[in-house]
Amino acid sequence: MTTVPQPTTETRWRCTLCGNLTRFDVTRSSKVIEYVHLDLAGEPKVEEREVVSETIESVRCRWCNAVDQIELVDRPGTDAATAS
């Protein structure tokens, strides 16, 4: 299984097939530690959540349904985009 790179403050996702920059379905696996508080009736409420690890497994384009055809491109207005 190949993981998909996560966007950064300087980059964003782009579908290589249709050019979509805004709509994606993301499947991710997370390992978390949660502090769960149960009220007297036994109803749970997560009061704290720490993400220990997270992996993006797949990204599907909402426009053309392409799966894992995603690339990272520079965000407009970042130094990387204006350096060229």
Side-chain angles (χ1 to χ4, degrees), residues 2-22:
T2 305
T3 60
V4 178
Q6 187 129 347
T8 65
T9 55
E10 292 86 28
T11 61
R12 63 181 178 176
W13 284 330
R14 179 183 174 277
C15 177
T16 59
L17 296 182
C18 72
N20 170 31
L21 293 166
T22 59

Side-chain angles (χ1 to χ4, degrees), residues 27-78:
T27 303
R28 61 179 88 222
S29 294
S30 301
K31 182 176 182 179
V32 298
I33 299 171
E34 294 179 333
Y35 169 61
V36 179
H37 179 199
L38 301 173
D39 65 15
L40 294 177
E43 292 295 320
K45 178 181 178 185
V46 176
E47 293 190 355
E48 295 176 16
R49 185 172 197 238
E50 176 188 348
V51 177
V52 177
S53 65
E54 186 172 61
T55 302
I56 298 174
E57 295 179 0
S58 69
V59 179
R60 182 175 61 86
C61 176
R62 269 290 178 113
W63 287 2
C64 71
N65 270 337
V67 177
D68 295 335
Q69 296 295 316
I70 306 304
E71 65 180 352
L72 285 179
V73 295
D74 293 335
R75 289 182 192 237
T78 61

